[in-house]
Amino acid sequence: MEGLFEHVGHFGRFQAYAYFTSAFQAISCGIHYLASVFIAVTPNYVCRPPGNVSLVLLHNNTFSQINEVWDIWTSPKDYLAVQQENGDIWELRRCSRFKREGSFAPTYTYDGNKTLFACSDGYQYDHSHLESSIVTDWDLVCDHEWLAKLAQPTFMLGVLIGAVVFGDIADRVGRRPIMWITSSCQFIFGLAVAFTFNYYSFVITRFILAMVSSGYLVVVFVYVTEYVGIKFRTWASIHIHTFFAVGVMVVALVGYLVRTWWIYQIILSVITLPFVMCCWMLPETPFWLHSQQKCKEVERVIATMEKWNKVSTQFKLSQLFPVEEGREPSGTDAQPAKNHNLFDLFHNWTFARRTISVWLIWFTGSFGYYVFALNSVNLGGNEYFNLFLAGAVEIPSYIVCCFCMDKLGRRNTLAPFLLLSTVICIVIMVIPEDYNTITIVMSMAGKFSVGTAFGLIYLYTAELYPTLIRSLAVGSGSMICRVGSVVAPFCVYLTDVWIFMPQVLVGTLTLVTGILTLMLPETLGKPLMNTMEEAADTEEQEKMKRKPMEANGVVMEKLESSNADLSRESLMHRL
């Protein structure tokens, strides 16, 4: 099928239309993946007093209202001493409050008797930077704080399940129907999240949203890979990540402008409406149609590509695949295509070894990416700018990735960047604690390095597997990837055990994964594979390439040995 692109062009007007239309929706994936950064933010808070307040004390500072103290609130361990209009004095902490007994003098410190009360009147939140979040609306603090922290891991669990489910379905029913369904559901459930009435309905709706967002992101990579020729495939596939990064930047921008979480969610969801209105115009890929032996539909797609790309000569599928005598090209008498499942990724030892290595790369890329990302957002300063920067820094990494992939190859780019991440982790561990700026720079370099590897693996996986199981391979890899993103926050928590524990884990994983990557076949400049046999042959071709090199090495060793023997004989003769 790769010969098709020599006829219609590798990236003509038709492919540009299909690419930018489908890639635009990847912005929504970046939006929904990171939206919870501001949806579930926890502002400063204290227990609400039982009545009206006339005086507030924080250390040596005096205020008339609680809302005035947030600018100098520095530690969660701080408390407020407040005097009510009836003269009662209370100590307000985050998850408890104390009533001072027998004291009517408004002082901050007090050593007398106090009575403990629960926060039955709710909580007083800092609304100076945020009007509302799910935390402030549903009081997800103190005993319910774990529910707020569970929101993002639950979303990632939906991403994990959606990746493998929709990847498998896309191989069975086609790329286009899944893109229709997932993109429409992203819009519908994105809006539905804004109208959830409690925490549990919010989590369930977001879980479904995560599944369809992940499903679209998996299938769109396969879709653009199968529509773009070899000459432009690297750039087209890698820069899907750029659209995702744009989504991250959109989250930061909208979050800065809109401080009410449900309005913020509506605006983020409406941004993707243009694609939902025109996604039905996207055709199925000729690769998938041909794998299902729907030859007439393949020729109709080719005719459309010829018209858009202004190709004058007509192209017949029989030019690529001669039809056997007595069989119709329409495939009406063909045997039904076999349905493939996850076990086909372990079809034989070659496939099993390849799949294990690829899965480990997915896990390491995601794990390292999120570990470095969690460190980068703690730079201080404006949190919205930090998130915007976190998305923007990915764009140059993908540009570098594209140049290296086209010049050095997929494997020869992936392995060095993984090993470079190992080196960066070691450097971070030896930097003195006082050199914060250098540590931040190296952390960003680590994110850049892992991000490059993370962006590359999508295309590399699509090229390592045949059309019949390509979406399944990318989907399962994305599923393993999400395991890494779920585990990454727990890795950061290990800093309580040892401050450099995250770097040790990331460095070890990238080292092992980088070595295993060197054993995978190179796919640069090779056509996409259609059958399991073609995919298995790539391993044999790699071995055949190595044998002449090894043979040459043996010959050179024999020649050197022979020359050495002759030199010794000549020397003895002279003596």
Side-chain angles (χ1 to χ4, degrees):
M1 286 295 290
E2 288 290 350
L4 169 65
F5 299 116
E6 297 297 333
H7 173 70
V8 300
H10 289 257
F11 196 75
R13 291 174 59 196
F14 181 85
Q15 288 105 315
Y17 159 75
Y19 176 78
F20 286 106
T21 303
S22 56
F24 177 82
Q25 185 68 357
I27 295 175
S28 68
C29 298
I31 286 173
H32 294 307
Y33 276 45
L34 272 296
S36 64
V37 171
F38 300 123
I39 287 178
V41 67
T42 302
N44 291 322
Y45 65 93
V46 293
C47 266
R48 190 184 299 275
N52 295 327
V53 174
S54 60
L55 182 67
V56 180
L57 300 176
L58 176 60
H59 301 300
N60 296 324
N61 301 284
T62 304
F63 305 92
S64 59
Q65 296 180 0
I66 294 179
N67 291 333
E68 298 174 358
V69 308
W70 302 123
D71 289 337
I72 62 171
W73 180 280
T74 58
S75 173
K77 296 181 180 180
D78 287 340
Y79 66 90
L80 302 180
V82 301
Q83 185 176 38
Q84 296 187 180
E85 293 179 349
N86 62 1
D88 291 342
I89 297 178
W90 291 75
E91 289 184 11
L92 306 180
R93 301 179 185 273
R94 281 202 157 188
C95 299
S96 61
R97 55 184 180 174
F98 295 87
K99 182 180 179 181
R100 293 178 180 178
E101 303 294 343
S103 173
F104 298 97
T107 59
Y108 188 72
T109 58
Y110 177 72
D111 296 327
N113 295 328
K114 295 182 289 187
T115 304
L116 174 64
F117 289 87
C119 298
S120 55
D121 293 295
Y123 303 86
Q124 186 84 20
Y125 295 100
D126 176 11
H127 293 291
S128 59
H129 301 290
L130 184 73
E131 289 296 327
S132 71
S133 69
I134 63 170
V135 173
T136 61
D137 283 4
W138 300 323
D139 287 338
L140 303 180
V141 293
C142 298
D143 292 342
H144 297 101
E145 183 181 4
W146 65 276
L147 293 175
K149 293 183 176 180
L150 194 62
Q152 186 64 12
T154 304
F155 183 89
M156 284 301 178
L157 179 61
V159 169
L160 185 153
I161 296 173
V164 68
V165 169
F166 285 106
D168 185 26
I169 297 175
D171 283 327
R172 297 172 185 268
V173 304
R175 287 55 164 131
R176 181 176 64 171
I178 300 305
M179 290 175 67
W180 288 359
I181 294 171
T182 53
S183 59
S184 299
C185 288
Q186 276 191 87
F187 177 71
I188 294 170
F189 286 100
L191 288 178
V193 167
F195 297 98
T196 50
F197 51 88
N198 59 28
Y199 173 80
Y200 297 102
S201 63
F202 170 85
V203 168
I204 293 172
T205 307
R206 283 261 300 169
F207 181 85
I208 300 173
L209 176 62
M211 289 183 62
V212 295
S213 296
S214 174
Y216 184 86
L217 194 60
V218 168
V219 177
V220 73
F221 273 100
V222 177
Y223 187 82
V224 300
T225 299
E226 294 180 351
Y227 255 119
V228 179
I230 290 178
K231 294 180 180 178
F232 294 93
R233 186 172 294 142
T234 300
W235 284 83
S237 299
I238 294 299
H239 282 289
I240 292 291
H241 292 286
T242 300
F243 287 89
F244 185 94
V246 170
V248 176
M249 292 187 283
V250 169
V251 168
L253 180 60
V254 175
Y256 176 76
L257 298 174
V258 181
R259 306 300 176 89
T260 302
W261 77 268
W262 59 271
I263 298 177
Y264 157 87
Q265 178 67 29
I266 290 174
I267 294 174
L268 291 177
S269 300
V270 170
I271 290 174
T272 63
L273 181 60
F275 177 80
V276 177
M277 298 176 66
C278 65
C279 66
W280 60 272
M281 300 173 64
L282 293 173
E284 185 55 79
T285 69
F287 278 86
W288 185 84
L289 291 172
H290 183 264
S291 71
Q292 302 298 308
Q293 301 176 358
K294 298 180 179 181
C295 299
K296 285 187 175 181
E297 294 185 31
V298 174
E299 292 188 344
R300 281 197 292 269
V301 173
I302 293 174
T304 303
M305 295 174 73
E306 290 172 340
K307 181 178 178 181
W308 278 66
N309 295 350
K310 297 182 179 180
V311 177
S312 56
T313 57
Q314 297 297 315
F315 185 85
K316 297 295 182 182
L317 193 61
S318 57
Q319 294 176 236
L320 285 179
F321 301 95
V323 182
E324 296 180 8
E325 185 178 356
R327 294 189 62 183
E328 294 294 327
S330 63
T332 53
D333 61 341
Q335 294 295 325
K338 175 189 174 182
N339 288 327
H340 294 272
N341 54 47
L342 198 63
F343 293 104
D344 288 304
L345 298 177
F346 300 86
H347 177 67
N348 52 36
W349 169 243
T350 299
F351 268 82
R353 185 176 58 186
R354 181 179 304 180
T355 299
I356 292 172
S357 298
V358 168
W359 281 4
L360 185 57
I361 296 170
W362 279 92
F363 178 87
T364 302
S366 176
F367 179 78
Y369 177 89
Y370 282 102
V371 168
F372 280 117
L374 289 172
N375 288 332
S376 68
V377 297
N378 296 322
L379 299 176
N382 189 291
E383 58 185 354
Y384 301 99
F385 177 75
N386 289 344
L387 181 61
F388 186 89
L389 184 62
V393 76
E394 296 182 37
I395 297 176
S397 72
Y398 302 140
I399 296 174
V400 171
C401 178
C402 288
F403 276 113
C404 293
M405 287 175 69
D406 280 341
K407 299 297 182 182
L408 304 177
R410 281 68 162 131
R411 176 189 61 196
N412 299 333
T413 298
L414 179 59
F417 271 104
L418 286 170
L419 297 175
L420 176 61
S421 301
T422 303
V423 175
I424 291 172
C425 288
I426 295 174
V427 172
I428 292 174
M429 294 172 64
V430 299
I431 296 175
E433 293 183 7
D434 296 337
Y435 292 79
N436 292 332
T437 303
I438 298 177
T439 302
I440 291 171
V441 171
M442 293 308 300
S443 296
M444 295 302 293
K447 185 173 182 290
F448 181 95
S449 180
V450 172
T452 302
F454 192 31
L456 187 154
I457 189 56
Y458 282 85
L459 176 60
Y460 195 27
T461 302
E463 292 180 341
L464 283 172
Y465 292 88
T467 303
L468 294 173
I469 58 172
R470 185 170 295 127
S471 287
L472 181 61
V474 176
S476 63
S478 184
M479 178 187 70
I480 300 299
C481 153
R482 296 311 153 199
V483 174
S485 64
V486 172
V487 174
F490 297 100
C491 171
V492 176
Y493 298 153
L494 292 177
T495 52
D496 295 336
V497 178
W498 186 36
I499 191 171
F500 294 123
M501 186 63 75
Q503 284 76 21
V504 170
L505 294 177
V506 173
T508 302
L509 276 173
T510 51
L511 176 63
V512 173
T513 306
I515 294 172
L516 289 177
T517 301
L518 294 173
M519 302 179 185
L520 293 172
E522 181 55 68
T523 59
L524 175 63
K526 296 181 180 179
L528 291 178
M529 298 166 286
N530 290 309
T531 65
M532 307 289 278
E533 291 74 16
E534 290 178 15
D537 287 343
T538 58
E539 199 88 5
E540 297 299 324
Q541 292 172 4
E542 288 287 326
K543 291 179 181 178
M544 293 299 292
K545 287 181 180 179
R546 291 169 186 162
K547 283 183 179 179
M549 296 176 64
E550 293 172 358
N552 290 338
V554 173
V555 171
M556 290 299 295
E557 288 179 3
K558 289 183 178 179
L559 287 174
E560 291 174 359
S561 176
S562 177
N563 290 335
D565 291 340
L566 289 173
S567 298
R568 282 194 297 270
E569 289 179 4
S570 176
L571 179 61
M572 291 297 295
H573 179 70
R574 288 180 183 179
L575 291 173

